[in-house]
Amino acid sequence: MLRALRNIRSLVRAGRVMARHDALFELELAKENLPAAALALRPFAKIRFPWERRVAAEGDMAERLSAALSELGPSYIKLGQFLATRPDMIGPELAGDLGLLRDQLPPFDQAKAEAIIEEQLGAPVSDLFETFSAPVAAASIAQVHKAEVRDAEGNTREFAVKVLRPDVEARFRRDLDAFFWVAEKLERFFPETRRLRPVAGVQTLATSVELEMDLRLEASAMSEMAENTKDDPGFRVPEVDWNRTARQVMTLEWIGAVPASDREALIDAGHDMKALGNRVIQNFLLHATRDGFFHADMHQGNLFVADDGTLIPVDFGIMGRLDERSRRFLAEILYGFVKRDYRRVAEVHFEAGYVPEHKDVATFAQALRSIGEPIFGKDAQDVSMGKLLAQLFLVTEQFDMAMRPELLLLQKTMVVVEGVARFYDPEHNIWEASEPILADWMMRKLGPEARLQDAAEGAMALGRRLGDLPDLLDRAERAIDQATDPEGIRLHPESLTAIREAENKGGRMGRAALWVGALSLFGLLLTQIF
């Protein structure tokens, strides 16, 4: 009861703030599932009480939402960014507005930042850094300071020091509990919302925030991506100073390159804007399909461009992961749309288990065609792969397709990187930029060499399993031979004879399996050659 009262109070406050900014909106699910009486109360939320602060509700919906969420604090900013990935819940237009939100808040006190650093790193700031600036950037989770470090040889290097906001963890815990409470009530009282998995959605948000609260994990993500991309031309990850990194503090090299948000400066520096647009898209798809690990917040504010055109991302707090199976299905789905092979795209959904088996493949392919065909023949700037995926998720209700959080995060990131690419090149063609990456991945993972490798690995694995059978039977024989029943009577000798016969048979089976595997592999090789 206390939890309910506490969360209702928190949500009423949030509703009042949204109303004062004229930023209230209707969820798509609310239009169909909530009682009309609940929606009828919406106009009364806009009434301003005398003691409430007056705000100027100006600008479009995105600007009003940004102002309201900023006033509500870090948790609501993250919620807004998360809802941008759920057009199935809030509608594609509002999802697009929320996708424009930037995570910016006023900085907190310099003295508090220095106290956190000293407590976390166990030394005075003056001992850790030669110089330490006032905040140069501030977001909902942390703020960044510029610092200098002098090495043993007397050389000075510039670093960025990221410091977690004080008390941010307690505030997130309180607000996330309210989000969970709402999601639980939706699933309990409105069965139609269960397909959208609101509780699982809030859990995804909570997990993401939990990872962002430990800056060592962000540093680890940077290290992992640096290792994955060390040989990739045109992409580089900043270096982490692990000696000056802890749970609430992270130190990394200062990036003095041109901010990716400064288009005029990039043009003045002589950068090929079309090539930059292609590089953003291709690197993102390469990381998602090849590595299954991608930067999930790659907007202009988190990117820099070096003199040679190399992209340098920062802020690795939100990362996306896809397992091998999801990567394969993602690449096949996107490549199928590129080739307009809707039947294959439909089959991939069924193979992945995204759509229940009792649904009809041909009918689902027809629905996919209704999504794909309208985009072909349009101008490049009117075609969006991210919006196509969003539309795909919107038509899944009639096919009982459950939402996949990892794919929603990928779709949201794709919308963001498309926006960056078009910021550089307004006529950027997402499909032309994507096709080489997707085609290469398909060849490497689904081509003749990949099938040969899979067959070889499968044959060897089978051989090893069956080859181990005699040893397993021998150990079983010894265990059984040593076992006695409660009366101390050993197993009958005929049982042991049967086990030994099985052992001999198992050895022959293992050797036969190796020959069968080798012959199968040889036959497959001949098939691929001729």
Side-chain angles (χ1 to χ4, degrees):
M1 185 64 180
L2 288 177
R3 182 193 179 211
L5 291 174
R6 182 178 65 249
N7 288 327
I8 289 172
R9 180 188 176 200
S10 174
L11 293 168
V12 167
R13 172 185 170 270
R16 299 293 307 156
V17 171
M18 297 283 284
R20 292 206 313 274
H21 286 271
D22 194 20
L24 284 174
F25 56 87
E26 294 176 357
L27 301 180
E28 288 294 303
L29 64 88
K31 294 177 182 177
E32 299 179 1
N33 301 317
L34 294 184
L39 296 178
L41 294 174
R42 187 171 183 261
F44 294 96
K46 296 185 178 183
I47 298 174
R48 186 177 66 87
F49 295 113
W51 59 83
E52 291 182 323
R53 182 173 60 89
R54 182 185 295 275
V55 297
E58 299 176 348
D60 58 20
M61 175 59 88
E63 292 171 331
R64 298 197 305 273
L65 271 174
S66 180
L69 295 176
S70 295
E71 181 177 338
L72 286 168
S75 310
Y76 284 87
I77 292 175
K78 291 297 180 185
L79 177 65
Q81 292 178 326
F82 172 73
L83 286 174
T85 71
R86 300 301 303 267
D88 52 323
M89 292 182 67
I90 64 176
E93 183 176 350
L94 183 58
D97 289 337
L98 287 170
L100 300 175
L101 289 176
R102 291 292 172 261
D103 190 354
Q104 297 175 338
L105 283 178
F108 59 90
D109 186 67
Q110 174 91 358
K112 289 183 179 179
E114 293 185 6
I116 291 171
I117 293 171
E118 293 179 357
E119 189 273 330
Q120 289 285 298
L121 300 182
V125 169
S126 58
D127 290 350
L128 294 165
F129 305 104
E130 191 77 11
T131 63
F132 188 79
S133 78
V136 296
S140 59
I141 299 288
Q143 67 186 29
V144 176
H145 301 255
K146 186 177 182 180
E148 291 182 332
V149 173
R150 190 178 301 276
D151 60 23
E153 298 176 355
N155 300 317
T156 300
R157 288 188 63 190
E158 293 181 328
F159 287 88
V161 183
K162 188 172 183 177
V163 186
L164 206 67
R165 283 185 176 273
D167 303 323
V168 69
E169 294 173 271
R171 188 164 184 177
F172 265 103
R173 278 196 298 270
R174 182 177 66 249
D175 290 339
L176 283 171
D177 185 61
F179 300 161
F180 272 116
W181 185 81
V182 171
E184 290 163 6
K185 295 300 176 269
L186 284 173
E187 289 196 6
R188 179 179 178 183
F189 296 111
F190 305 101
E192 297 85 352
T193 68
R194 292 170 189 164
R195 182 191 69 85
L196 301 172
R197 302 172 65 196
V199 172
V202 176
Q203 183 58 58
T204 300
L205 173 64
T207 301
S208 172
V209 168
E210 184 179 358
L211 293 176
E212 288 190 78
M213 294 295 177
D214 190 339
L215 296 181
R216 294 170 300 184
L217 297 178
E218 180 177 347
S220 178
M222 295 177 67
S223 176
E224 182 177 349
M225 178 161 274
E227 187 174 316
N228 291 343
T229 62
K230 62 180 182 297
D231 297 324
D232 293 352
F235 190 89
R236 184 174 76 81
V237 176
E239 178 185 349
V240 175
D241 182 350
W242 285 99
N243 292 325
R244 293 175 176 83
T245 294
R247 189 176 189 278
Q248 293 178 287
V249 179
M250 182 178 68
T251 304
L252 62 150
E253 67 170 295
W254 180 264
I255 304 301
V258 180
S261 57
D262 195 341
R263 190 173 187 274
E264 294 303 318
L266 293 171
I267 293 174
D268 292 342
H271 289 290
D272 184 338
M273 303 306 285
K274 183 178 178 64
L276 273 180
N278 285 337
R279 190 168 299 137
V280 171
I281 294 293
Q282 291 178 348
N283 273 286
F284 164 68
L285 283 175
L286 184 64
H287 303 158
T289 56
R290 182 193 65 189
D291 307 325
F293 189 57
F294 58 92
H295 193 303
D297 198 19
M298 225 163 75
H299 57 77
Q300 294 99 313
N302 284 339
L303 283 173
F304 292 84
V305 182
D307 292 341
D308 62 354
T310 296
L311 292 174
I312 308 173
V314 295
D315 196 352
F316 287 71
I318 305 176
M319 303 297 293
R321 284 194 185 274
L322 297 173
D323 58 27
E324 183 72 29
R325 188 166 175 267
S326 295
R327 280 181 266 166
R328 175 197 162 194
F329 291 128
L330 170 69
E332 285 207 72
I333 288 169
L334 294 178
Y335 195 65
F337 273 112
V338 169
K339 295 300 183 183
R340 301 167 77 175
D341 187 353
Y342 304 112
R343 175 75 185 194
R344 179 57 193 151
V345 176
E347 291 171 349
V348 168
H349 277 77
F350 280 83
E351 291 171 10
Y354 296 161
V355 179
E357 293 182 358
H358 68 271
K359 295 295 181 179
D360 181 60
V361 176
T363 304
F364 188 56
Q366 181 181 351
L368 296 176
R369 181 178 292 274
S370 72
I371 298 171
E373 284 304 301
I375 71 173
F376 293 102
K378 286 188 176 181
D379 293 336
Q381 60 267 29
D382 296 327
V383 177
S384 167
M385 188 179 290
K387 290 181 179 177
L388 180 144
L389 287 177
Q391 290 176 338
L392 175 62
F393 299 146
L394 285 173
V395 303
T396 57
E397 182 175 4
Q398 65 190 102
F399 294 96
D400 298 331
M401 177 176 160
M403 289 297 101
R404 305 278 301 187
E406 70 276 15
L407 294 182
L408 289 169
L409 181 60
L410 180 129
Q411 178 266 327
K412 169 254 185 184
T413 309
M414 191 171 291
V415 170
V416 172
V417 296
E418 283 181 343
V420 176
R422 295 224 168 92
F423 176 71
Y424 296 143
D425 176 19
E427 297 183 357
H428 177 80
N429 190 318
I430 178 69
W431 300 104
E432 287 182 3
S434 303
E435 186 170 4
I437 301 297
L438 296 173
D440 179 67
W441 192 93
M442 296 281 286
M443 180 58 66
R444 286 188 292 107
K445 292 296 182 181
L446 303 176
E449 292 184 6
R451 291 201 296 271
L452 281 172
Q453 183 177 351
D454 289 345
E457 291 176 355
M460 287 188 290
L462 179 62
R464 284 194 299 268
R465 295 291 185 187
L466 292 177
D468 290 340
L469 187 57
D471 181 58
L472 293 173
L473 289 170
D474 183 58
R475 279 184 283 168
E477 177 186 338
R478 291 198 300 271
I480 294 173
D481 187 48
Q482 295 170 3
T484 59
D485 63 15
E487 297 179 1
I489 302 174
R490 293 186 178 277
L491 292 178
H492 196 280
E494 291 182 2
S495 300
L496 297 179
T497 301
I499 290 174
R500 292 190 181 95
E501 289 179 355
E503 177 186 2
N504 294 331
K505 184 177 181 181
R508 292 193 298 272
M509 287 174 62
R511 289 189 293 273
L514 289 173
W515 278 105
V516 169
L519 290 173
S520 299
L521 182 59
F522 182 68
L524 181 58
L525 177 62
L526 290 178
T527 301
Q528 296 298 329
I529 294 175
F530 299 106

